[in-house]
Amino acid sequence: MKMFVEPPAIYLHKQPVDFRKSINGLSIIVEEQMKLTCFSGALFVFCNRQRDKLKVLYWDKTGFCLWYKRLEKDKFKWPKRMTGEVLTLTEREWQWLLEGLDIEKMQGHKPLEYSSVF
């Protein structure tokens, strides 16, 4: 089942956050620390210090939604070497992260653009 239908962007907050924060607290992080707008429809992804929980905040045009995932026996492979405090993920990288893959090590084929066959 797909939870999010083609979000315009997926932003990952690299630093762990206090998971007592809910919609209001996370939206303040988005606005003040990430310097982004909460009302864009984008997914804003947060992780706890132990890296076994995720929260995803997004606006669905009628209100805020907060999605939560807790791993029972593992940890998310949270990016450390990628530069910046806020990372922009592709939908593919987002799926890799949810599946437990290390997005810093995973690389697909680079897209090619051609204007003609010859």
Side-chain angles (χ1 to χ4, degrees):
M1 177 175 128
K2 278 196 162 187
M3 294 295 298
F4 315 105
V5 180
E6 297 183 34
I10 303 167
Y11 299 107
L12 184 139
H13 186 268
K14 272 183 59 178
Q15 296 302 315
V17 299
D18 179 353
F19 260 42
R20 293 175 290 183
K21 292 186 185 302
S22 193
I23 290 171
N24 292 343
L26 294 175
S27 63
I28 289 170
I29 291 173
V30 170
E31 297 276 336
E32 293 181 359
Q33 291 180 19
M34 298 172 79
K35 305 290 188 221
L36 298 165
T37 178
C38 296
F39 302 102
S40 66
L43 303 184
F44 301 97
V45 182
F46 303 92
C47 194
N48 66 336
R49 190 170 304 282
Q50 294 80 20
R51 294 188 338 262
D52 64 344
K53 297 178 184 87
L54 282 183
K55 282 189 177 180
V56 180
L57 177 71
Y58 64 101
W59 175 258
D60 76 352
K61 296 191 169 85
T62 61
F64 282 107
C65 301
L66 187 61
W67 187 80
Y68 182 87
K69 179 168 183 162
R70 179 182 75 193
L71 295 176
E72 296 300 322
K73 292 188 177 184
D74 211 347
K75 296 188 181 298
F76 290 102
K77 308 286 190 273
W78 211 246
K80 295 177 185 171
R81 293 186 307 263
M82 296 171 91
T83 59
E85 289 301 309
V86 178
L87 301 178
T88 303
L89 302 181
T90 65
E91 287 191 48
R92 188 177 196 188
E93 290 170 325
W94 170 234
Q95 288 304 317
W96 287 341
L97 184 73
L98 288 176
E99 292 172 17
L101 301 173
D102 188 339
I103 63 173
E104 290 179 312
K105 294 179 181 174
M106 299 293 294
Q107 287 190 345
H109 295 287
K110 296 198 185 305
L112 302 174
E113 293 185 30
Y114 293 104
S115 58
S116 127
V117 177
F118 301 101

